């Protein structure tokens, strides 16, 4: 049997046309589309292992998948070769070999998400697929203050959609920062693990803070309640971007940040 | 017969899904879609008069159309009422009444276009429909210098696609400014009239300047040659935005810039 190598791909995509990241039979998914491209290139039937299973409509600059191959394509050439087989709403940004036992969901990692709000009177057509439009005046300073109460280790049950299969709802958020640039408010959240819809519920809650319906300090009570009904609405998917995925332990950080 | 009023609409759109602005039978056009929305709202069969007939794939923040109606909908309410009848890649940003003889292509006007280049090693999927991706290192200062030779009154035959039916190729460009913000280079062109594909040929020529294939001062010779083959390529449509349309003579400026 030929020796197999495990290849890591850094993946950027526009999620607008997809039923989400995770493979589903009979649906248009990011994983399914990458599997097909690898099969076209190498002739090998492949099921990639994805790092973050983003929802339908969510975008990414730096999601990660790995797969095993016996092909002779150099690891660093996969990204260009696969791009020629992929639709242009998915691009492989980088490719390199990793140890055969590396699994992107079973190791320490740090994820950076950005949630973007377009704060204008009327929506702008060319931005509709990449922002949540909000016509209320939003105070980004209040939103930033509120985000600080989310930082650290907490039980985030109030920020978890029903249907979660997580064994514990305790997660650690490293930082929540909210900043305005003209009409755009960006919520940047960094952490090592997130519950189902967690970043979108954080964004929906911070929007309520920004328009004055929730006081920043009330976020402390919302967290302590461990009750989804106390937090704000789930923000729509199109404002969410998985910006960066880092593996701080060892070899991959060096490669993936080059 | 009921008294008709002429209504002006300021229109923003994502041109990605359209065969262009101007009405064509059996094609998906911006004008055709607005005609249908007006008919749904008022019951009147309508053919709007458009200001700028942008090409397939070109976007706008502020194109202009006018139409006549006998309906009793208040002029300032048309924008909200029509938005409820339009797909979300077209939005009416503003509406008001204008004199019955106002024709947006038969009066003095000033148009502002922006052409956007994404200058990164690899394309970014979420930006593919709104930027021209260019992987060469571009020098925006050289591009800005070159643009200065285009300002003023010139015969722009070198910057006009074949098939133009214009009686003269003399046009006056008020300003060409090129600036970089991170990975994005924006070419901003202001003038009172443009030839077929003129802004896209300007962008294609400035790109050649930015990568060092044309010297800035050579633009003077390119203009004087009055020969389309001397200028650069026609840049693709998706980087082009009609940003602003102004009618400096009198009443409309006041309204349309509020």
């Amino acid at each position: 049997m030929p020796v197999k190598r495990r290849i890591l791909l850094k993946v950027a995509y526009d999620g607008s046309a997809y039923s989400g990241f995770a493979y589903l039979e009979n649906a248009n998914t990011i994983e399914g589309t990458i599997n097909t491209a690898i099969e076209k290139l190498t002739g090998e039937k492949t099921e990639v292992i994805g790092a973050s299973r983003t929802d339908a409509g969510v975008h990414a600059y730096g999601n990660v998948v790995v797969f095993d191959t016996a092909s002779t394509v150099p690891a660093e050439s996969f990204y260009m070769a696969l791009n020629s087989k992929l639709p242009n709403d998915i691009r492989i940004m980088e490719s390199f070999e990793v140890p055969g036992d590396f699994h992107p969901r079973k190791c320490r990692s740090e994820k950076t998400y950005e949630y973007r709000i377009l704060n204008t009177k009327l929506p702008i057509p060319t931005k509709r697929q990449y922002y949540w439009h909000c016509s209320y005046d939003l105070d980004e300073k209040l939103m930033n203050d509120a985000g600080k109460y989310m930082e650290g280790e907490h039980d985030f049950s109030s920020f978890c959609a029903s249907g979660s299969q997580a064994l514990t709802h305790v997660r650690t958020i490293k930082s929540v920062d909210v900043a305005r640039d003209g009409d755009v408010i960006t919520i940047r959240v960094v952490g090592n693990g997130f519950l189902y819809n967690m970043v979108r519920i954080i964004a929906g809650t911070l929007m309520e803070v920004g328009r004055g319906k929730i006081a920043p300090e009330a976020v402390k009570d919302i967290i302590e309640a461990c009750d989804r009904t106390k937090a704000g609405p789930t923000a729509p998917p199109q404002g969410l971007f998985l910006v960066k995925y880092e593996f701080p332990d060892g070899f991959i950080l060096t490669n993936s940040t080059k």
Side-chain angles (χ1 to χ4, degrees), chain A:
Chain A
M1 249 192 59
V3 177
K4 285 208 169 189
R5 294 167 300 156
R6 180 157 285 197
I7 306 294
L8 182 148
L9 306 176
K10 184 176 153 189
V11 189
Y13 49 87
D14 180 332
S16 306
Y18 294 90
S19 305
F21 185 81
Y23 177 77
L24 289 169
E25 217 174 318
N26 301 322
N28 192 25
T29 63
I30 309 288
E31 278 192 347
T33 308
I34 297 173
N35 288 344
T36 304
I38 294 172
E39 194 172 340
K40 279 187 197 164
L41 179 68
T42 65
E44 300 165 322
K45 187 144 181 65
T46 302
E47 287 180 24
V48 298
I49 303 171
S52 184
R53 294 155 169 173
T54 57
D55 284 335
V58 173
H59 316 291
Y61 293 146
N63 208 339
V64 163
V65 302
V66 300
F67 68 100
D68 298 324
T69 180
S71 87
T72 56
V73 177
E76 283 72 18
S77 300
F78 264 105
Y79 84 97
M80 287 293 275
L82 286 173
N83 282 338
S84 71
K85 310 287 182 194
L86 284 164
N88 67 1
D89 55 3
I90 303 179
R91 292 289 93 181
I92 311 297
M93 306 306 276
E94 202 177 340
S95 57
F96 51 87
E97 189 174 344
V98 293
D101 61 352
F102 174 74
H103 187 299
R105 291 199 306 277
K106 294 181 180 164
C107 64
R108 269 189 62 205
S109 66
E110 186 175 285
K111 292 172 230 185
T112 301
Y113 282 97
E114 284 183 5
Y115 196 93
R116 299 179 192 172
I117 298 171
L118 180 67
N119 193 20
T120 52
K121 187 185 158 208
L122 290 174
I124 296 174
T126 51
K127 297 186 188 284
R128 74 195 186 287
Q129 295 185 115
Y130 309 103
Y131 295 86
W132 184 17
H133 176 255
C134 175
S135 53
Y136 305 110
D137 281 334
L138 295 179
D139 184 329
E140 71 279 7
K141 289 180 197 68
L142 292 179
M143 295 168 74
N144 190 60
D145 291 347
K148 296 306 156 196
Y149 291 99
M150 299 171 180
E151 294 180 357
E153 187 182 273
H154 302 285
D155 183 318
F156 281 102
S157 295
S158 295
F159 294 85
C160 180
S162 62
S164 157
Q165 292 171 2
L167 296 175
T168 166
H169 289 171
V170 175
R171 294 289 184 277
T172 301
I173 292 186
K174 189 173 168 183
S175 61
V176 178
D177 295 291
V178 182
R180 176 186 286 273
D181 180 9
D183 292 332
V184 172
I185 292 174
T186 301
I187 301 166
R188 191 175 172 93
V189 185
V190 182
N192 52 29
F194 293 92
L195 298 164
Y196 185 44
N197 279 355
M198 182 167 155
V199 181
R200 287 165 59 188
I201 301 169
I202 288 174
T205 305
L206 291 181
M207 205 273 264
E208 299 278 72
V209 172
R211 61 183 283 212
K213 288 190 71 175
I214 296 177
E217 55 276 17
V219 167
K220 198 168 172 290
D221 304 327
I222 293 172
I223 293 172
E224 282 172 6
C226 287
D227 176 354
R228 172 69 190 89
T229 68
K230 302 296 183 197
T234 304
Q238 79 275 4
L240 186 59
F241 287 71
L242 174 55
V243 170
K244 209 162 58 172
Y245 216 107
E246 290 183 291
F247 300 95
D249 290 335
F251 71 101
I252 292 183
L253 182 64
T254 318
N255 282 308
S256 68
T257 58
K258 78 182 171 191

